[in-house]
Amino acid sequence: MHEEIIGKRVPVIEKEIWEFAANHWRLPYWDWADNSNVPKLIELPSVTIVVSVTPRKTMDVENPLWKFKMPTGKPMGDKVHGKFAITYADGLPFDLCVATSRYGILWSDVDRDWVEGKIQNYEAINAATAAHQWDPDDPKAAINMPTIKDNVIRLLHDKYFDSYEKFTSTKYHKHKGKATDYLSLEFIHNLTHNWIGGSDANTGGGHMCSVPVAAFDPIFYLHHCNIDRLLAIWQAMNWEKWFDDPQSDDPEDPDPSPDAPLKPFRTADPEVFYTSNSVRKWWTYNYTYPEVESFAPPSDGGEANLTDEPLPLKQLKKTINHLYGRHALAGTPEGKPVDNNDYLINIVYNRHALGGIPYHIHFFIGDVDGPPGLYAQHRNHVGSIYTFTSAYEVNGAVHCENCKKQADAGTLSKAQIPIEIALKSRAANPAIPEFESAAPDAVETYLQNNLKWRVVTLSGVEISPRTLPDLLVSVAAGKMDFPANDEELINYRDYVPLHRATEGKVGGAREGDIHYE
């Protein structure tokens, strides 16, 4: 920018303006939990840019955020791309694509407009990232709030996780832990990739759903900037939790090092890779986020002052509440919660069970019908898992050494779906007379009869849960202590397993399978 654009193309009289803009511009983020609609800037096929300030001149150009087009004009799998050609991408024809799509790749598209990326289905993205509207026929009886907010308010809590690793990673450890540990930033990251891209060519597929090609889509960077932002907020709340925290000890990897190279990401020195320690202090890279701006040190590079000033932490909690926590009091008399019971579906699964080929596990409270490819829009759907993996071995060649290593080691993953909102909306619905109370005994009986799950491949085919022998689904009941003011967060506590909710179902936990600290 400085050398090629400002140095060679900008008049001297305008250089100061352009240099200021270049020095202050940062990648934008999309907070899909606060606003689930795709940013308008992404939706525009073309944008108007300023090419001269004095006199002012503008021109319309193709929007680089709308889609990515191969510079060669050849499909991604063409041999002209050599070793970088896309030869396999989890069952969707990304190798034939010249440009990226979002819910645009359809087997029914006889004209194959998806090859040139002509279909960007933003309505489908907005529907996927928005809330499930519980009992839409009776909105007064429902708590119609975005459930992704419920995930994020829990994720950013300063006491929801014991360690940095449990917050960041889907990796499951068999030793005893807390019921809340099953959630993770990686789990939400994976789901959002699927919500943005679409993963079924019967209903619409896109590049964001597939590990090998996701980063081709420009929206990838807005998504990952938001993941980085959520990590920064959690760090500000939990600065003492890091790799060397005793709670982060990994019995399967007794010496995880924050100084291990993060390949293939190199510093300005091509011989040196970034490490977790080198990127821990995000502000040293001359950027920050609105919620944590007050925590960043002065430009002299001093340490961040995060934990010993109660006022900034209270302000941060207030900000988190206003962004994501209002749902806790929504739809209840005079802003008071109906009760303080909380319910979670906790899942252990093997992401490599199908050789790394990605799959979904959809969860429902009630009957299940209709085509598997539309399960996520089902009226009784309450949440899902998306593995966001890729086949690690194709035609005898290993494409991902780390994936194969994890598969050979039997590494399992964890996920969590909060269902408190879904259950309380049903308990308040007069159309469900058999379920009038959200108390634990009533919930356990109701879920025993109504909690169901289905496994669906990327091609939209439903398969038996028996194909996932490591699957373990459990339900936990706990309590939520609502704060007296918005400078504190909900306190989640005292979870116990509700074994009758899952016992006797394929992949369901039985009494004695689950123990919480």
Side-chain angles (χ1 to χ4, degrees):
M1 173 63 77
H2 286 278
E3 293 180 8
E4 295 299 320
I5 304 298
I6 299 175
K8 297 179 180 179
R9 303 185 191 180
V10 176
V12 174
I13 193 173
E14 295 183 11
K15 284 187 186 294
E16 184 177 348
I17 298 173
W18 284 74
E19 285 175 351
F20 179 87
N23 289 334
H24 288 79
W25 184 88
R26 296 296 182 268
L27 280 171
Y29 64 87
W30 171 25
D31 183 2
W32 24 253
D34 182 43
N35 185 351
S36 61
N37 289 333
V38 175
K40 290 297 180 186
L41 181 58
I42 296 288
E43 295 185 7
L44 300 172
S46 64
V47 291
T48 302
I49 63 171
V50 175
V51 294
S52 173
V53 178
T54 52
R56 184 176 179 84
K57 293 181 181 178
T58 62
M59 66 180 295
D60 292 338
V61 298
E62 186 173 291
N63 183 3
L65 297 178
W66 185 50
K67 67 180 179 183
F68 169 80
K69 234 175 143 175
M70 296 297 288
T72 60
K74 301 287 186 180
M76 293 180 175
D78 194 285
K79 62 183 180 181
V80 72
H81 302 124
K83 66 179 182 179
F84 300 109
I86 301 300
T87 57
Y88 180 84
D90 308 318
L92 289 171
F94 297 121
D95 56 322
L96 303 179
C97 294
V98 176
T100 55
S101 297
R102 299 157 190 153
Y103 287 87
I105 301 175
L106 293 157
W107 297 128
S108 59
D109 180 8
V110 293
D111 296 325
R112 301 210 305 178
D113 285 336
W114 47 266
V115 170
E116 298 289 339
K118 294 180 180 179
I119 303 175
Q120 310 291 331
N121 190 341
Y122 297 110
E123 288 185 4
I125 301 176
N126 294 342
T129 52
H132 298 295
Q133 297 298 308
W134 311 118
D135 304 306
D137 294 331
D138 188 8
K140 292 183 179 179
I143 304 177
N144 294 323
M145 297 300 291
T147 54
I148 189 63
K149 287 181 182 282
D150 195 15
N151 281 274
V152 171
I153 190 75
R154 293 167 188 267
L155 188 74
L156 297 179
H157 200 283
D158 55 342
K159 295 182 178 65
Y160 207 74
F161 305 93
D162 283 337
S163 69
Y164 170 80
E165 184 194 24
K166 290 175 182 175
F167 161 76
T168 55
S169 175
T170 58
K171 188 173 183 179
Y172 172 71
H173 297 294
K174 296 175 183 176
H175 60 280
K176 191 175 178 181
K178 299 196 311 181
T180 51
D181 286 338
Y182 286 71
L183 189 63
S184 71
L185 181 62
E186 182 184 4
F187 167 61
I188 292 178
H189 158 269
N190 295 349
L191 275 177
T192 310
H193 264 276
N194 179 54
W195 291 341
I196 294 173
S199 57
D200 183 351
N202 295 302
T203 55
H207 289 70
M208 274 289 282
C209 81
S210 178
V211 174
V213 296
F216 283 113
D217 190 330
I219 206 171
F220 174 96
Y221 298 96
L222 278 74
H223 170 45
H224 272 257
C225 282
N226 193 47
I227 294 295
D228 182 68
R229 168 179 161 270
L230 294 175
L231 173 59
I233 295 173
W234 189 85
Q235 284 183 272
M237 298 280 288
N238 301 271
W239 187 250
E240 74 286 357
K241 295 176 182 175
W242 193 238
F243 284 72
D244 55 359
D245 178 354
Q247 292 290 338
S248 288
D249 285 346
D250 183 348
E252 297 165 19
D253 184 8
D255 189 27
S257 172
D259 290 313
L262 297 174
K263 297 181 179 180
F265 302 106
R266 302 174 189 270
T267 65
D269 182 345
E271 301 298 319
V272 179
F273 292 94
Y274 287 103
T275 69
S276 295
N277 271 343
S278 71
V279 298
R280 182 184 186 188
K281 300 173 182 177
W282 67 89
W283 58 88
T284 62
Y285 295 92
N286 298 313
Y287 77 92
T288 190
Y289 296 100
E291 298 83 3
V292 292
E293 188 173 5
S294 62
F295 294 101
S299 57
D300 60 11
E303 292 288 331
N305 192 1
L306 300 171
T307 57
D308 58 358
E309 290 190 21
L311 184 58
L313 283 176
K314 284 185 177 181
Q315 180 58 46
L316 181 54
K317 291 179 180 180
K318 184 175 182 178
T319 299
I320 292 171
N321 271 326
H322 280 259
L323 282 173
Y324 311 116
R326 289 291 182 183
H327 71 279
L329 303 180
T332 57
E334 299 177 359
K336 304 293 183 182
V338 174
D339 60 55
N340 68 337
N341 290 302
D342 188 35
Y343 299 99
L344 310 169
I345 301 175
N346 286 333
I347 310 103
V348 178
Y349 63 100
N350 187 340
R351 66 197 301 177
H352 306 292
L354 305 182
I357 295 173
Y359 62 88
H360 306 264
I361 308 177
H362 295 288
F363 291 85
F364 308 83
I365 299 179
D367 294 334
V368 183
D369 52 22
L374 296 177
Y375 276 168
Q377 285 80 50
H378 195 281
R379 64 189 180 281
N380 292 326
H381 187 262
V382 294
S384 60
I385 292 171
Y386 180 60
T387 59
F388 194 53
T389 47
S390 184
Y392 51 81
E393 192 170 357
V394 181
N395 299 325
V398 176
H399 286 245
C400 176
E401 292 285 354
N402 188 47
C403 302
K404 190 172 189 310
K405 179 182 175 182
Q406 291 180 13
D408 291 344
T411 302
L412 300 179
S413 299
K414 61 182 174 70
Q416 181 178 100
I417 300 171
I419 53 172
E420 171 249 344
I421 296 175
L423 286 168
K424 289 178 181 176
S425 71
R426 283 160 170 76
N429 191 337
I432 311 177
E434 71 276 17
F435 183 47
E436 297 180 347
S437 167
D441 286 345
V443 165
E444 187 171 24
T445 299
Y446 184 67
L447 293 180
Q448 181 180 16
N449 297 324
N450 291 280
L451 178 62
K452 300 176 175 68
W453 50 89
R454 300 287 187 268
V455 182
V456 180
T457 67
L458 213 59
S459 57
V461 175
E462 183 175 329
I463 61 177
S464 170
R466 298 184 191 280
T467 8
L468 311 178
D470 299 300
L471 181 64
L472 186 65
V473 179
S474 61
V475 174
K479 297 294 182 182
M480 299 183 295
D481 296 328
F482 291 89
N485 58 69
D486 59 3
E487 293 181 345
E488 295 298 330
L489 302 175
I490 297 171
N491 180 42
Y492 302 91
R493 61 176 175 85
D494 300 339
Y495 288 87
V496 296
L498 300 183
H499 64 88
R500 284 195 294 114
T502 54
E503 198 164 34
K505 302 173 185 179
V506 178
R510 300 167 299 178
E511 186 173 9
D513 283 346
I514 302 294
H515 302 278
Y516 298 128
E517 291 179 351

